[in-house]
Amino acid sequence: MHSLFKLIVGGFLLSAGLGLASASTPIFLNEIHYDNVGADTREAFEVAGPAGTDLSGWSVVLYNGSNGSSYATYSLTGVIADSGNGFGFVAVNAPGLQNGAPDGLALVNSTGAIVQFLSYEGAFAATNGPAAGHTSTDIGVVEDGSDPVGYSLQLSGSGIAYEDFTWAADAPGTFGLINTAQSFSSGGTGGGAPPPPVSSCGQPATVLSAVQGSTDASPLNGQTVTVEAIVTASYQGSDQLKGFFLQEEDTDSDGNPATSEGIFVYDPGDAAHVGDQVRLTARVSEYNTLTELTSVTGFERCAVNQALPTPGSLQLPVASLAVLEAVEGMRVAFSAPVYVAENYNLARYGQFYVSGSPRLSIPTNVVAPGAAANALAAQNALNRILVDDFSNVQHPAYIRYPAPGLAADNTLRTGTGIAQLIGVVDFAYGEYRVQPTALPLTYVASNPRRDQPAAMPDARLLVGSFNVLNYFNGDGNGGGFPTSRGANTLEEFQRQSDKIANAISTMKADVLGLMELENDGFGSTSAIATLVGQVNLRDANNHY
C-alpha cells in the first residue's frame, strides 16, 4: 500500500503518494537573473509559493562562492498573492547579484532556518550567516555573459513544490508571473487547483511523555504512535542529525517530572521548521538507548510560528544522570554560567564539554588513587555535559564554536565561561549532550591567555615538558623499522630525531619531562639514550 503524507502551507493541503515528487519544499526560489551581455541589468530573483503565505520575517541571503561569505540580505514581506491555481510569486530586484563561478542564494524562513541554499556555476560551503556549515546545491544551468538582456533562469515543469520542477536554460524573464514552461497542479498535469484543505490536526494523539516513559527506555518501544507537538529545533541537513526535536506545548503535560515532554524525530525528508506545530505517525525506537521516532508517515504542518515551550531549568552538577534522562529531547536553559571543561574534540567533531565549575581536576592529580579518585571521577561525570554542533561530521570545514568560527586567532580555551546555555538535551554515543538553539553563544573570558608567563625572579630551575610523538628508534643500530608506533623508516626516524633534538636543545630546560618515548630500557641503544645523545651533541654545555 502506498503511504500518503500531507503538508498544510498557507491554507492549502499539499499531498503526494509514493511515486510522486515529495511536497517537501512548497516555498522556493523560482527564477534568477545574474548575468547578461554587456553591463548587467535587471538582476533579480523570485520566490514562489501557495497564495496566502505570509513571508514576513523571511529573507534571501546572497553568498560569494570564492570565500563562502554572505554579501547581501534581502528581507521579504507581505502575503503571496494568487497568480493562478492557488500559487503566486514575489520578485525582488537585486542589483549586484554576483556573476558566479560559483555564487549562491539562501532562502531563510522566519525562524532563521535554511529552506534552500542554491548556487550557480558550482557548489560551495557557506562560512557565515544562516547557511554557515551548509554546502550549496548547484542548479545546473548558467548565464555565461552572452545571454540577452531581459532573460533569466527559470524552473520548468508541473507540480506544487520545488522538487516537481527542474531548472531550464535562459528564457525571456517572467518575474512576478508564472514561468513560460511551468504550471501549478497537484497532479503534475497542469490546470488543476490544489485539493481542498483536509487535516487531522487537533484530533487525539499520544502525548510525548507516554512515549518517553519514566526510565531510559520507552514503554512503547517498537509500537507505532501518532503525536502532535511543536518543533523546537530542526537539523535535517545531510551533514546534520537528519531530524528534528518535538516538544509538547505544556512543559509537564502529565504532571510527572520523571517523564520527558520532548523527543527526537529521525526524518530528513519532511520539512520541519522551528515553531511549526506538526502531527505525524511514526515508530517508537531505541537507537543506542536514545528514545526517538522513526519511519515517519502522515506528516502534517498544523500551524506555523507557534510560541516555543518555556525551557526547563538545568544546573550542573546534576544529582544523577536520571535528571538528564527526564529532560531528554526537551528545551533547557542552564540557570547559572557554565565553563569550558575540555576542548579535545572541538576541531575533530565541533564539540566541547562544559561544567558548572571553572575547572574539573583529573582525580589522581588531587587525590590518591583508589576510592578517593573513583569518588571524584563520579562527581566529575555529574558535573559536565557535551555541547554539540548538531552534526556527526568528522573534521567539519566550518567549526561554529567560538563564533564566528574556530581559527588560530579565535580559540576556545578551557575555563572560558558561557553566560547562558540554551538548547535541547540529546543523547548519543553513550552520553548526554546539548544541541544549542540560542546562537551565537556568549563567551566570558574568565581564563584569558597571558601574553607571556608571569616573571619569577627567584626561580632557580626551568622545568618543561615535551611530547616526542612516538619516538621509537628501531633496534638502536639503524634497523628495526618500521616500528610498532613510531617511524616507518630509518630516514623518517632521523628527520624526527633531528627536529626533536633541535627543539629540546633550544629550550635549555633544567628539567624536562618526556611523553610518548619508547620504553625499551636505558642501554646504549635505547630510545632515551639515543635522544639524550643527540641533544648533547648540539650544545657542549648540555649535560643531560
Side-chain angles (χ1 to χ4, degrees):
M1 178 181 295
H2 285 178
S3 63
L4 183 72
F5 64 82
K6 311 183 191 77
L7 176 63
I8 296 177
V9 178
F12 292 96
L13 173 70
L14 311 182
S15 63
L18 295 180
L20 298 178
S22 299
S24 58
T25 316
I27 302 170
F28 51 88
L29 291 161
N30 192 53
E31 186 173 357
I32 302 169
H33 170 57
Y34 66 90
D35 198 9
N36 55 252
V37 65
D40 294 339
T41 60
R42 306 180 194 174
E43 295 161 316
F45 60 82
E46 177 186 85
V47 175
T53 301
D54 187 355
L55 293 180
S56 298
W58 287 58
S59 63
V60 173
V61 181
L62 308 184
Y63 277 88
N64 186 318
S66 64
N67 56 17
S69 63
S70 61
Y71 65 90
T73 298
Y74 289 86
S75 298
L76 305 180
T77 58
V79 175
I80 297 178
D82 192 341
S83 296
N85 281 357
F87 290 84
F89 314 93
V90 173
V92 179
N93 293 324
L97 196 61
Q98 294 184 357
N99 284 354
D103 290 309
L105 307 85
L107 177 62
V108 184
N109 70 13
S110 59
T111 68
I114 293 293
V115 177
Q116 289 181 302
F117 184 26
L118 305 181
S119 60
Y120 40 88
E121 302 189 32
F124 63 91
T127 58
N128 71 343
H134 293 265
T135 299
S136 66
T137 298
D138 189 352
I139 63 175
V141 292
V142 303
E143 294 182 319
D144 61 8
S146 64
D147 308 276
V149 174
Y151 275 48
S152 67
L153 303 174
Q154 307 164 21
L155 288 178
S156 65
S158 179
I160 57 175
Y162 178 78
E163 289 75 12
D164 296 324
F165 303 101
T166 58
W167 285 95
D170 249 14
T174 58
F175 288 106
L177 303 170
I178 191 170
N179 296 337
T180 303
Q182 183 180 48
S183 65
F184 286 94
S185 166
S186 61
T189 58
V198 177
S199 174
S200 298
C201 295
Q203 298 299 311
T206 303
V207 293
L208 295 181
S209 55
V211 177
Q212 284 281 9
S214 58
T215 67
D216 59 0
S218 171
L220 304 181
N221 186 27
Q223 299 184 32
T224 297
V225 298
T226 297
V227 300
E228 185 173 323
I230 303 296
V231 178
T232 57
S234 182
Y235 308 119
Q236 293 181 277
S238 60
D239 57 347
Q240 298 181 333
L241 302 180
K242 300 181 181 179
F244 52 91
F245 288 86
L246 283 181
Q247 186 170 333
E248 300 286 350
E249 297 89 330
D250 184 342
T251 56
D252 193 9
S253 60
D254 65 346
N256 183 356
T259 57
S260 170
E261 317 296 325
I263 200 166
F264 178 71
V265 182
Y266 180 80
D267 182 16
D270 297 304
H273 306 132
V274 174
D276 288 351
Q277 180 180 333
V278 301
R279 183 182 180 90
L280 56 88
T281 298
R283 182 171 58 87
V284 182
S285 174
E286 291 293 332
Y287 182 74
N288 294 329
T289 71
L290 168 69
T291 303
E292 65 178 16
L293 297 176
T294 63
S295 304
V296 174
T297 59
F299 181 95
E300 291 189 52
R301 180 175 287 104
C302 302
V304 299
N305 298 328
Q306 300 300 290
L308 300 184
T310 302
S313 179
L314 194 62
Q315 185 172 356
L316 294 175
V318 294
S320 71
L321 293 182
V323 174
L324 298 177
E325 175 63 27
V327 292
E328 179 187 270
M330 293 180 62
R331 296 184 77 217
V332 297
F334 286 76
S335 58
V338 292
Y339 302 88
V340 178
E342 182 190 309
N343 54 20
Y344 180 78
N345 274 325
L346 182 58
R348 187 176 185 184
Y349 291 113
Q351 55 191 208
F352 63 96
Y353 287 94
V354 294
S355 168
S357 307
R359 179 179 293 274
L360 291 182
S361 297
I362 295 175
T364 52
N365 280 358
V366 292
V367 296
N374 292 338
L376 182 54
Q379 292 177 31
N380 286 349
L382 300 176
N383 196 16
R384 72 176 198 168
I385 193 169
L386 192 69
V387 176
D388 208 350
D389 66 343
F390 35 90
S391 168
N392 293 324
V393 174
Q394 186 173 192
H395 301 300
Y398 169 73
I399 300 168
R400 66 181 64 253
Y401 309 123
L406 181 67
D409 58 352
N410 189 42
T411 60
L412 187 61
R413 285 172 56 78
T414 56
T416 298
I418 298 176
Q420 186 172 41
L421 179 59
I422 300 175
V424 290
V425 175
D426 192 11
F427 184 89
Y429 301 102
E431 59 187 332
Y432 292 95
R433 57 196 62 210
V434 175
Q435 308 288 355
T437 55
L439 294 172
L441 300 176
T442 300
Y443 302 96
V444 179
S446 47
N447 183 31
R449 183 188 298 275
R450 295 176 178 175
D451 292 335
Q452 60 185 23
M456 298 178 64
D458 296 330
R460 294 293 184 268
L461 291 175
L462 179 61
V463 180
S465 63
F466 199 110
N467 189 320
V468 295
L469 302 175
N470 290 318
Y471 189 98
F472 282 53
N473 72 332
D475 61 11
N477 292 307
F481 296 97
T483 61
S484 59
R485 290 180 57 185
N488 291 320
T489 65
L490 175 62
E491 291 75 17
E492 185 178 308
F493 170 71
Q494 288 173 335
R495 289 197 302 272
Q496 177 188 16
S497 182
D498 288 343
K499 291 179 181 179
I500 293 172
N502 287 337
I504 292 175
S505 179
T506 303
M507 291 171 66
K508 300 186 184 303
D510 296 297
V511 178
L512 190 63
L514 302 179
M515 293 164 280
E516 295 191 14
L517 178 71
E518 183 181 13
N519 183 15
D520 62 344
F522 302 94
S524 61
T525 60
S526 65
I528 185 68
T530 300
L531 181 56
V532 170
Q534 288 296 313
V535 172
N536 288 343
L537 283 175
R538 284 160 171 76
D539 188 343
N541 294 321
N542 279 326
H543 297 287
Y544 287 105

